[in-house]
Amino acid sequence: MQFSHLVTFIHPDEKARIDASDFERIVALVRVTPALTRARFYPPEQAQDFYTNDGPSPIFALQLDFETLAALEATIAADGYLQRLACGDWPSLGACAVEQQVMARRPFPVLDPVQKVLPGRLPCQFLVHYPGHAEDFDAWLSYYLLHHPQIMKHFEGVREIEIFTRADWIDAMPWRRVHYMQRNKLMFDSAAAITAAMNSPVRQQMRADFENFPAFVGSSVHFPMAALTIEPCAPRTS
């Protein structure tokens, strides 16, 4: 199990987009983060789900993965490397409210993990979070982990399943901390593949399982996002 720093930029103008220069400079900065094992960068996409319509996706989101919680916390401490990200000059993100959460990352198997992305395109992820709370969180989480991903893996074209569960963490970033009780992310080859999956019989099975969840307050929020994945490289010493 790894730990992920999940950061979401929310712009007041739903039509706003991150500038290509800002995107490229953030990728370059994040790529050399100490102890980083993988990074994902999410610009917004559009897809349709049969059961939900949660509005436009955020302008930008990040998923930064680390082997240990201690390594992650070191990068978001008062003198941590990622203060450069928080204090950087990103004009297209200047009006954004920013949310962050550190969570444990749990990968689950899929039937066909091989991506078939068209040249020049990015795969897409369906980002889901549960902002509410359960009457018995241990029972809720146990049910979810033992039932829901076992249905998810039967989505046509799903390439990856990751489920994120809560962790306590410390940081000195200037961003709002959120404490969503759980998140999940499903990787597909395209936004069209997400739409097909979310209007399939498997989606109906997912909804039926949702109705069996132990009691909780709130619902789930779904956002389709394109996904650029990078492997880190060692920081330059000169």
Side-chain angles (χ1 to χ4, degrees), residues 28-74:
L29 185 151
V30 168
R31 187 186 293 273
V32 294
T33 302
L36 182 72
T37 59
R38 189 186 68 177
R40 282 199 166 136
F41 306 84
Y42 299 114
E45 257 289 4
Q46 293 183 342
Q48 295 180 339
D49 178 19
F50 184 82
Y51 288 103
T52 63
N53 180 1
D54 296 313
S57 297
I59 186 175
F60 187 49
L62 295 166
Q63 175 186 331
L64 309 180
D65 299 335
F66 297 82
E67 287 288 347
T68 68
L69 181 59
L72 192 164
E73 288 180 329

mmCIF file of all heavy atoms in Angstrom, residues 28-74:
data_model
loop_
_atom_site.group_PDB
_atom_site.id
_atom_site.type_symbol
_atom_site.label_atom_id
_atom_site.label_comp_id
_atom_site.label_asym_id
_atom_site.label_seq_id
_atom_site.Cartn_x
_atom_site.Cartn_y
_atom_site.Cartn_z
ATOM 1 N N ALA A 28 7.082 19.607 -14.993
ATOM 2 C CA ALA A 28 8.531 19.641 -14.829
ATOM 3 C C ALA A 28 8.926 19.800 -13.367
ATOM 4 O O ALA A 28 9.886 19.180 -12.889
ATOM 5 C CB ALA A 28 9.124 20.782 -15.663
ATOM 6 N N LEU A 29 8.190 20.623 -12.631
ATOM 7 C CA LEU A 29 8.497 20.831 -11.217
ATOM 8 C C LEU A 29 8.219 19.563 -10.413
ATOM 9 O O LEU A 29 9.040 19.136 -9.586
ATOM 10 C CB LEU A 29 7.679 22.002 -10.684
ATOM 11 C CG LEU A 29 7.926 22.463 -9.244
ATOM 12 C CD1 LEU A 29 7.636 23.947 -9.100
ATOM 13 C CD2 LEU A 29 7.080 21.688 -8.228
ATOM 14 N N VAL A 30 7.068 18.946 -10.638
ATOM 15 C CA VAL A 30 6.671 17.778 -9.855
ATOM 16 C C VAL A 30 7.548 16.577 -10.166
ATOM 17 O O VAL A 30 7.838 15.754 -9.286
ATOM 18 C CB VAL A 30 5.185 17.458 -10.105
ATOM 19 C CG1 VAL A 30 4.810 16.092 -9.548
ATOM 20 C CG2 VAL A 30 4.303 18.543 -9.497
ATOM 21 N N ARG A 31 8.010 16.472 -11.398
ATOM 22 C CA ARG A 31 8.766 15.295 -11.823
ATOM 23 C C ARG A 31 9.978 15.017 -10.937
ATOM 24 O O ARG A 31 10.387 13.854 -10.772
ATOM 25 C CB ARG A 31 9.211 15.469 -13.279
ATOM 26 C CG ARG A 31 9.862 14.228 -13.869
ATOM 27 C CD ARG A 31 10.405 14.517 -15.263
ATOM 28 N NE ARG A 31 9.348 14.785 -16.216
ATOM 29 C CZ ARG A 31 8.702 13.844 -16.907
ATOM 30 N NH1 ARG A 31 9.002 12.571 -16.718
ATOM 31 N NH2 ARG A 31 7.771 14.170 -17.774
ATOM 32 N N VAL A 32 10.579 16.044 -10.366
ATOM 33 C CA VAL A 32 11.795 15.869 -9.561
ATOM 34 C C VAL A 32 11.502 15.960 -8.061
ATOM 35 O O VAL A 32 12.392 16.206 -7.255
ATOM 36 C CB VAL A 32 12.885 16.880 -9.972
ATOM 37 C CG1 VAL A 32 13.350 16.607 -11.390
ATOM 38 C CG2 VAL A 32 12.393 18.320 -9.848
ATOM 39 N N THR A 33 10.269 15.739 -7.667
ATOM 40 C CA THR A 33 9.924 15.724 -6.254
ATOM 41 C C THR A 33 10.657 14.588 -5.548
ATOM 42 O O THR A 33 10.591 13.434 -6.000
ATOM 43 C CB THR A 33 8.405 15.538 -6.064
ATOM 44 O OG1 THR A 33 7.719 16.595 -6.729
ATOM 45 C CG2 THR A 33 8.033 15.523 -4.593
ATOM 46 N N PRO A 34 11.360 14.848 -4.463
ATOM 47 C CA PRO A 34 12.065 13.774 -3.749
ATOM 48 C C PRO A 34 11.116 12.665 -3.299
ATOM 49 O O PRO A 34 10.004 12.928 -2.831
ATOM 50 C CB PRO A 34 12.660 14.496 -2.533
ATOM 51 C CG PRO A 34 12.799 15.923 -2.965
ATOM 52 C CD PRO A 34 11.621 16.181 -3.885
ATOM 53 N N ALA A 35 11.541 11.420 -3.490
ATOM 54 C CA ALA A 35 10.847 10.210 -3.039
ATOM 55 C C ALA A 35 9.542 9.933 -3.784
ATOM 56 O O ALA A 35 8.847 8.967 -3.485
ATOM 57 C CB ALA A 35 10.574 10.248 -1.532
ATOM 58 N N LEU A 36 9.196 10.728 -4.777
ATOM 59 C CA LEU A 36 7.982 10.495 -5.561
ATOM 60 C C LEU A 36 8.112 9.184 -6.338
ATOM 61 O O LEU A 36 9.144 8.919 -6.955
ATOM 62 C CB LEU A 36 7.770 11.654 -6.535
ATOM 63 C CG LEU A 36 6.528 11.621 -7.424
ATOM 64 C CD1 LEU A 36 5.281 11.897 -6.602
ATOM 65 C CD2 LEU A 36 6.668 12.654 -8.553
ATOM 66 N N THR A 37 7.074 8.352 -6.308
ATOM 67 C CA THR A 37 7.101 7.107 -7.076
ATOM 68 C C THR A 37 6.312 7.200 -8.379
ATOM 69 O O THR A 37 6.609 6.486 -9.339
ATOM 70 C CB THR A 37 6.546 5.928 -6.250
ATOM 71 O OG1 THR A 37 5.197 6.210 -5.859
ATOM 72 C CG2 THR A 37 7.396 5.703 -5.013
ATOM 73 N N ARG A 38 5.302 8.071 -8.415
ATOM 74 C CA ARG A 38 4.496 8.254 -9.623
ATOM 75 C C ARG A 38 3.675 9.520 -9.458
ATOM 76 O O ARG A 38 3.318 9.897 -8.348
ATOM 77 C CB ARG A 38 3.568 7.054 -9.832
ATOM 78 C CG ARG A 38 2.838 7.034 -11.178
ATOM 79 C CD ARG A 38 1.831 5.906 -11.256
ATOM 80 N NE ARG A 38 0.716 6.110 -10.338
ATOM 81 C CZ ARG A 38 -0.341 5.302 -10.241
ATOM 82 N NH1 ARG A 38 -0.408 4.208 -10.984
ATOM 83 N NH2 ARG A 38 -1.319 5.562 -9.391
ATOM 84 N N ALA A 39 3.395 10.199 -10.570
ATOM 85 C CA ALA A 39 2.537 11.381 -10.522
ATOM 86 C C ALA A 39 1.523 11.301 -11.647
ATOM 87 O O ALA A 39 1.819 10.827 -12.754
ATOM 88 C CB ALA A 39 3.358 12.654 -10.656
ATOM 89 N N ARG A 40 0.319 11.801 -11.339
ATOM 90 C CA ARG A 40 -0.718 11.922 -12.356
ATOM 91 C C ARG A 40 -1.240 13.341 -12.354
ATOM 92 O O ARG A 40 -1.449 13.949 -11.302
ATOM 93 C CB ARG A 40 -1.866 10.934 -12.098
ATOM 94 C CG ARG A 40 -1.475 9.530 -12.540
ATOM 95 C CD ARG A 40 -2.669 8.648 -12.741
ATOM 96 N NE ARG A 40 -2.235 7.462 -13.475
ATOM 97 C CZ ARG A 40 -2.609 6.233 -13.157
ATOM 98 N NH1 ARG A 40 -3.434 6.034 -12.149
ATOM 99 N NH2 ARG A 40 -2.189 5.203 -13.863
ATOM 100 N N PHE A 41 -1.482 13.841 -13.572
ATOM 101 C CA PHE A 41 -1.954 15.204 -13.789
ATOM 102 C C PHE A 41 -3.273 15.109 -14.542
ATOM 103 O O PHE A 41 -3.352 14.487 -15.601
ATOM 104 C CB PHE A 41 -0.922 15.992 -14.598
ATOM 105 C CG PHE A 41 0.451 15.978 -13.991
ATOM 106 C CD1 PHE A 41 1.325 14.920 -14.230
ATOM 107 C CD2 PHE A 41 0.882 17.017 -13.172
ATOM 108 C CE1 PHE A 41 2.589 14.898 -13.662
ATOM 109 C CE2 PHE A 41 2.135 17.011 -12.605
ATOM 110 C CZ PHE A 41 2.996 15.950 -12.839
ATOM 111 N N TYR A 42 -4.301 15.768 -14.004
ATOM 112 C CA TYR A 42 -5.649 15.601 -14.508
ATOM 113 C C TYR A 42 -6.236 16.917 -15.011
ATOM 114 O O TYR A 42 -6.655 17.749 -14.210
ATOM 115 C CB TYR A 42 -6.562 15.070 -13.402
ATOM 116 C CG TYR A 42 -6.189 13.722 -12.838
ATOM 117 C CD1 TYR A 42 -5.774 13.599 -11.525
ATOM 118 C CD2 TYR A 42 -6.285 12.566 -13.612
ATOM 119 C CE1 TYR A 42 -5.453 12.356 -10.985
ATOM 120 C CE2 TYR A 42 -5.963 11.326 -13.086
ATOM 121 C CZ TYR A 42 -5.549 11.236 -11.771
ATOM 122 O OH TYR A 42 -5.226 10.013 -11.237
ATOM 123 N N PRO A 43 -6.322 17.136 -16.323
ATOM 124 C CA PRO A 43 -7.181 18.192 -16.866
ATOM 125 C C PRO A 43 -8.590 17.648 -17.075
ATOM 126 O O PRO A 43 -8.780 16.430 -17.145
ATOM 127 C CB PRO A 43 -6.503 18.536 -18.199
ATOM 128 C CG PRO A 43 -5.837 17.262 -18.611
ATOM 129 C CD PRO A 43 -5.453 16.526 -17.352
ATOM 130 N N PRO A 44 -9.593 18.522 -17.178
ATOM 131 C CA PRO A 44 -10.981 18.056 -17.242
ATOM 132 C C PRO A 44 -11.324 17.386 -18.570
ATOM 133 O O PRO A 44 -10.753 17.684 -19.613
ATOM 134 C CB PRO A 44 -11.795 19.332 -17.044
ATOM 135 C CG PRO A 44 -10.892 20.433 -17.486
ATOM 136 C CD PRO A 44 -9.505 19.993 -17.134
ATOM 137 N N GLU A 45 -12.282 16.474 -18.494
ATOM 138 C CA GLU A 45 -12.853 15.815 -19.656
ATOM 139 C C GLU A 45 -14.381 15.821 -19.511
ATOM 140 O O GLU A 45 -14.919 16.298 -18.513
ATOM 141 C CB GLU A 45 -12.349 14.372 -19.782
ATOM 142 C CG GLU A 45 -11.286 14.182 -20.852
ATOM 143 C CD GLU A 45 -11.800 14.304 -22.270
ATOM 144 O OE1 GLU A 45 -13.003 14.616 -22.455
ATOM 145 O OE2 GLU A 45 -11.023 14.082 -23.210
ATOM 146 N N GLN A 46 -15.058 15.266 -20.506
ATOM 147 C CA GLN A 46 -16.516 15.171 -20.469
ATOM 148 C C GLN A 46 -16.942 13.740 -20.763
ATOM 149 O O GLN A 46 -16.464 13.123 -21.720
ATOM 150 C CB GLN A 46 -17.151 16.125 -21.488
ATOM 151 C CG GLN A 46 -16.946 17.595 -21.179
ATOM 152 C CD GLN A 46 -17.657 18.484 -22.176
ATOM 153 O OE1 GLN A 46 -18.028 18.056 -23.256
ATOM 154 N NE2 GLN A 46 -17.852 19.744 -21.814
ATOM 155 N N ALA A 47 -17.817 13.223 -19.911
ATOM 156 C CA ALA A 47 -18.409 11.905 -20.111
ATOM 157 C C ALA A 47 -19.771 11.911 -19.442
ATOM 158 O O ALA A 47 -20.056 12.773 -18.601
ATOM 159 C CB ALA A 47 -17.510 10.814 -19.535
ATOM 160 N N GLN A 48 -20.603 10.963 -19.792
ATOM 161 C CA GLN A 48 -21.969 10.907 -19.259
ATOM 162 C C GLN A 48 -22.191 9.614 -18.496
ATOM 163 O O GLN A 48 -21.897 8.521 -18.996
ATOM 164 C CB GLN A 48 -22.991 11.038 -20.396
ATOM 165 C CG GLN A 48 -22.964 12.387 -21.093
ATOM 166 C CD GLN A 48 -23.994 12.487 -22.203
ATOM 167 O OE1 GLN A 48 -24.466 11.483 -22.715
ATOM 168 N NE2 GLN A 48 -24.352 13.708 -22.559
ATOM 169 N N ASP A 49 -22.718 9.765 -17.289
ATOM 170 C CA ASP A 49 -23.062 8.632 -16.443
ATOM 171 C C ASP A 49 -24.582 8.514 -16.377
ATOM 172 O O ASP A 49 -25.284 9.528 -16.248
ATOM 173 C CB ASP A 49 -22.473 8.859 -15.042
ATOM 174 C CG ASP A 49 -22.817 7.747 -14.062
ATOM 175 O OD1 ASP A 49 -23.185 6.652 -14.508
ATOM 176 O OD2 ASP A 49 -22.714 7.985 -12.841
ATOM 177 N N PHE A 50 -25.092 7.313 -16.451
ATOM 178 C CA PHE A 50 -26.549 7.099 -16.463
ATOM 179 C C PHE A 50 -27.217 7.617 -15.195
ATOM 180 O O PHE A 50 -28.322 8.156 -15.230
ATOM 181 C CB PHE A 50 -26.843 5.603 -16.634
ATOM 182 C CG PHE A 50 -28.305 5.278 -16.755
ATOM 183 C CD1 PHE A 50 -28.966 5.397 -17.966
ATOM 184 C CD2 PHE A 50 -29.035 4.865 -15.649
ATOM 185 C CE1 PHE A 50 -30.317 5.104 -18.077
ATOM 186 C CE2 PHE A 50 -30.383 4.563 -15.749
ATOM 187 C CZ PHE A 50 -31.031 4.686 -16.970
ATOM 188 N N TYR A 51 -26.517 7.503 -14.052
ATOM 189 C CA TYR A 51 -27.158 7.793 -12.776
ATOM 190 C C TYR A 51 -26.801 9.152 -12.188
ATOM 191 O O TYR A 51 -27.532 9.640 -11.315
ATOM 192 C CB TYR A 51 -26.790 6.716 -11.753
ATOM 193 C CG TYR A 51 -27.450 5.389 -12.022
ATOM 194 C CD1 TYR A 51 -26.736 4.344 -12.598
ATOM 195 C CD2 TYR A 51 -28.785 5.173 -11.705
ATOM 196 C CE1 TYR A 51 -27.338 3.115 -12.853
ATOM 197 C CE2 TYR A 51 -29.402 3.951 -11.954
ATOM 198 C CZ TYR A 51 -28.666 2.927 -12.525
ATOM 199 O OH TYR A 51 -29.262 1.726 -12.780
ATOM 200 N N THR A 52 -25.714 9.755 -12.596
ATOM 201 C CA THR A 52 -25.265 10.978 -11.928
ATOM 202 C C THR A 52 -24.904 12.054 -12.938
ATOM 203 O O THR A 52 -24.484 11.768 -14.061
ATOM 204 C CB THR A 52 -24.038 10.713 -11.028
ATOM 205 O OG1 THR A 52 -22.931 10.285 -11.841
ATOM 206 C CG2 THR A 52 -24.339 9.654 -9.993
ATOM 207 N N ASN A 53 -25.025 13.307 -12.488
ATOM 208 C CA ASN A 53 -24.538 14.463 -13.233
ATOM 209 C C ASN A 53 -24.083 15.488 -12.207
ATOM 210 O O ASN A 53 -24.886 16.240 -11.662
ATOM 211 C CB ASN A 53 -25.611 15.052 -14.142
ATOM 212 C CG ASN A 53 -25.105 16.252 -14.930
ATOM 213 O OD1 ASN A 53 -23.935 16.635 -14.819
ATOM 214 N ND2 ASN A 53 -25.974 16.863 -15.716
ATOM 215 N N ASP A 54 -22.799 15.492 -11.918
ATOM 216 C CA ASP A 54 -22.257 16.314 -10.845
ATOM 217 C C ASP A 54 -21.629 17.610 -11.349
ATOM 218 O O ASP A 54 -20.845 18.241 -10.642
ATOM 219 C CB ASP A 54 -21.237 15.502 -10.041
ATOM 220 C CG ASP A 54 -21.901 14.322 -9.343
ATOM 221 O OD1 ASP A 54 -22.961 14.539 -8.727
ATOM 222 O OD2 ASP A 54 -21.388 13.195 -9.429
ATOM 223 N N GLY A 55 -21.978 17.990 -12.582
ATOM 224 C CA GLY A 55 -21.489 19.251 -13.100
ATOM 225 C C GLY A 55 -20.102 19.141 -13.709
ATOM 226 O O GLY A 55 -19.528 18.057 -13.808
ATOM 227 N N PRO A 56 -19.542 20.285 -14.137
ATOM 228 C CA PRO A 56 -18.242 20.282 -14.809
ATOM 229 C C PRO A 56 -17.129 19.768 -13.899
ATOM 230 O O PRO A 56 -17.150 19.980 -12.682
ATOM 231 C CB PRO A 56 -18.022 21.757 -15.161
ATOM 232 C CG PRO A 56 -19.380 22.373 -15.117
ATOM 233 C CD PRO A 56 -20.145 21.629 -14.081
ATOM 234 N N SER A 57 -16.166 19.118 -14.506
ATOM 235 C CA SER A 57 -15.002 18.657 -13.755
ATOM 236 C C SER A 57 -14.129 19.836 -13.336
ATOM 237 O O SER A 57 -14.155 20.895 -13.963
ATOM 238 C CB SER A 57 -14.181 17.695 -14.610
ATOM 239 O OG SER A 57 -14.929 16.530 -14.915
ATOM 240 N N PRO A 58 -13.327 19.670 -12.275
ATOM 241 C CA PRO A 58 -12.406 20.739 -11.864
ATOM 242 C C PRO A 58 -11.431 21.092 -12.980
ATOM 243 O O PRO A 58 -11.163 20.286 -13.879
ATOM 244 C CB PRO A 58 -11.678 20.130 -10.660
ATOM 245 C CG PRO A 58 -12.566 19.030 -10.184
ATOM 246 C CD PRO A 58 -13.261 18.499 -11.398
ATOM 247 N N ILE A 59 -10.855 22.271 -12.886
ATOM 248 C CA ILE A 59 -9.914 22.740 -13.906
ATOM 249 C C ILE A 59 -8.634 21.904 -13.922
ATOM 250 O O ILE A 59 -7.988 21.755 -14.964
ATOM 251 C CB ILE A 59 -9.598 24.240 -13.691
ATOM 252 C CG1 ILE A 59 -8.730 24.784 -14.823
ATOM 253 C CG2 ILE A 59 -8.923 24.476 -12.354
ATOM 254 C CD1 ILE A 59 -8.485 26.279 -14.715
ATOM 255 N N PHE A 60 -8.268 21.314 -12.770
ATOM 256 C CA PHE A 60 -6.992 20.604 -12.690
ATOM 257 C C PHE A 60 -6.952 19.808 -11.393
ATOM 258 O O PHE A 60 -7.543 20.217 -10.385
ATOM 259 C CB PHE A 60 -5.839 21.608 -12.713
ATOM 260 C CG PHE A 60 -4.456 21.026 -12.794
ATOM 261 C CD1 PHE A 60 -4.146 20.060 -13.734
ATOM 262 C CD2 PHE A 60 -3.459 21.440 -11.924
ATOM 263 C CE1 PHE A 60 -2.865 19.524 -13.822
ATOM 264 C CE2 PHE A 60 -2.168 20.934 -12.006
ATOM 265 C CZ PHE A 60 -1.878 19.975 -12.960
ATOM 266 N N ALA A 61 -6.289 18.666 -11.422
ATOM 267 C CA ALA A 61 -6.076 17.880 -10.205
ATOM 268 C C ALA A 61 -4.754 17.139 -10.320
ATOM 269 O O ALA A 61 -4.237 16.902 -11.423
ATOM 270 C CB ALA A 61 -7.227 16.903 -9.966
ATOM 271 N N LEU A 62 -4.216 16.774 -9.167
ATOM 272 C CA LEU A 62 -2.944 16.063 -9.082
ATOM 273 C C LEU A 62 -3.093 14.845 -8.184
ATOM 274 O O LEU A 62 -3.811 14.890 -7.182
ATOM 275 C CB LEU A 62 -1.851 16.956 -8.475
ATOM 276 C CG LEU A 62 -1.390 18.187 -9.227
ATOM 277 C CD1 LEU A 62 -0.582 19.081 -8.302
ATOM 278 C CD2 LEU A 62 -0.549 17.765 -10.419
ATOM 279 N N GLN A 63 -2.374 13.793 -8.522
ATOM 280 C CA GLN A 63 -2.213 12.636 -7.645
ATOM 281 C C GLN A 63 -0.728 12.333 -7.569
ATOM 282 O O GLN A 63 -0.106 11.943 -8.555
ATOM 283 C CB GLN A 63 -2.969 11.424 -8.186
ATOM 284 C CG GLN A 63 -2.743 10.151 -7.368
ATOM 285 C CD GLN A 63 -3.371 8.938 -8.009
ATOM 286 O OE1 GLN A 63 -4.373 9.031 -8.717
ATOM 287 N NE2 GLN A 63 -2.786 7.767 -7.774
ATOM 288 N N LEU A 64 -0.146 12.502 -6.384
ATOM 289 C CA LEU A 64 1.281 12.304 -6.178
ATOM 290 C C LEU A 64 1.467 11.126 -5.234
ATOM 291 O O LEU A 64 1.026 11.166 -4.077
ATOM 292 C CB LEU A 64 1.922 13.567 -5.607
ATOM 293 C CG LEU A 64 1.616 14.861 -6.385
ATOM 294 C CD1 LEU A 64 2.308 16.052 -5.737
ATOM 295 C CD2 LEU A 64 2.021 14.728 -7.847
ATOM 296 N N ASP A 65 2.114 10.064 -5.709
ATOM 297 C CA ASP A 65 2.218 8.805 -4.977
ATOM 298 C C ASP A 65 3.591 8.637 -4.334
ATOM 299 O O ASP A 65 4.628 8.938 -4.959
ATOM 300 C CB ASP A 65 1.959 7.627 -5.913
ATOM 301 C CG ASP A 65 0.575 7.651 -6.538
ATOM 302 O OD1 ASP A 65 -0.335 8.248 -5.938
ATOM 303 O OD2 ASP A 65 0.426 7.082 -7.642
ATOM 304 N N PHE A 66 3.587 8.102 -3.112
ATOM 305 C CA PHE A 66 4.815 7.869 -2.343
ATOM 306 C C PHE A 66 4.733 6.504 -1.673
ATOM 307 O O PHE A 66 3.645 6.011 -1.367
ATOM 308 C CB PHE A 66 4.995 8.951 -1.266
ATOM 309 C CG PHE A 66 5.160 10.340 -1.812
ATOM 310 C CD1 PHE A 66 4.050 11.087 -2.192
ATOM 311 C CD2 PHE A 66 6.413 10.910 -1.954
ATOM 312 C CE1 PHE A 66 4.193 12.374 -2.702
ATOM 313 C CE2 PHE A 66 6.563 12.190 -2.464
ATOM 314 C CZ PHE A 66 5.455 12.933 -2.831
ATOM 315 N N GLU A 67 5.900 5.900 -1.400
ATOM 316 C CA GLU A 67 5.931 4.596 -0.753
ATOM 317 C C GLU A 67 5.506 4.670 0.711
ATOM 318 O O GLU A 67 4.914 3.729 1.235
ATOM 319 C CB GLU A 67 7.344 3.991 -0.844
ATOM 320 C CG GLU A 67 7.727 3.504 -2.227
ATOM 321 C CD GLU A 67 6.982 2.231 -2.621
ATOM 322 O OE1 GLU A 67 6.359 1.597 -1.734
ATOM 323 O OE2 GLU A 67 7.000 1.881 -3.810
ATOM 324 N N THR A 68 5.848 5.757 1.389
ATOM 325 C CA THR A 68 5.548 5.860 2.810
ATOM 326 C C THR A 68 4.907 7.201 3.125
ATOM 327 O O THR A 68 5.103 8.192 2.409
ATOM 328 C CB THR A 68 6.818 5.716 3.666
ATOM 329 O OG1 THR A 68 7.671 6.846 3.461
ATOM 330 C CG2 THR A 68 7.569 4.426 3.322
ATOM 331 N N LEU A 69 4.160 7.238 4.216
ATOM 332 C CA LEU A 69 3.560 8.480 4.668
ATOM 333 C C LEU A 69 4.634 9.480 5.085
ATOM 334 O O LEU A 69 4.508 10.679 4.815
ATOM 335 C CB LEU A 69 2.614 8.195 5.832
ATOM 336 C CG LEU A 69 1.872 9.391 6.428
ATOM 337 C CD1 LEU A 69 1.017 10.096 5.379
ATOM 338 C CD2 LEU A 69 1.010 8.945 7.607
ATOM 339 N N ALA A 70 5.695 8.998 5.704
ATOM 340 C CA ALA A 70 6.763 9.895 6.136
ATOM 341 C C ALA A 70 7.410 10.603 4.952
ATOM 342 O O ALA A 70 7.701 11.805 5.010
ATOM 343 C CB ALA A 70 7.810 9.117 6.927
ATOM 344 N N ALA A 71 7.642 9.864 3.858
ATOM 345 C CA ALA A 71 8.246 10.476 2.670
ATOM 346 C C ALA A 71 7.319 11.525 2.078
ATOM 347 O O ALA A 71 7.765 12.597 1.640
ATOM 348 C CB ALA A 71 8.565 9.400 1.638
ATOM 349 N N LEU A 72 6.017 11.243 2.053
ATOM 350 C CA LEU A 72 5.047 12.208 1.537
ATOM 351 C C LEU A 72 5.027 13.465 2.408
ATOM 352 O O LEU A 72 5.101 14.586 1.903
ATOM 353 C CB LEU A 72 3.671 11.554 1.475
ATOM 354 C CG LEU A 72 2.552 12.273 0.715
ATOM 355 C CD1 LEU A 72 1.415 11.296 0.438
ATOM 356 C CD2 LEU A 72 2.015 13.491 1.439
ATOM 357 N N GLU A 73 4.924 13.277 3.716
ATOM 358 C CA GLU A 73 4.842 14.422 4.625
ATOM 359 C C GLU A 73 6.072 15.314 4.535
ATOM 360 O O GLU A 73 5.974 16.533 4.701
ATOM 361 C CB GLU A 73 4.640 13.937 6.059
ATOM 362 C CG GLU A 73 3.252 13.373 6.314
ATOM 363 C CD GLU A 73 3.066 12.898 7.737
ATOM 364 O OE1 GLU A 73 4.060 12.447 8.348
ATOM 365 O OE2 GLU A 73 1.931 12.973 8.247
ATOM 366 N N ALA A 74 7.231 14.721 4.256
ATOM 367 C CA ALA A 74 8.449 15.527 4.137
ATOM 368 C C ALA A 74 8.351 16.519 2.991
ATOM 369 O O ALA A 74 8.918 17.621 3.061
ATOM 370 C CB ALA A 74 9.658 14.620 3.954
#
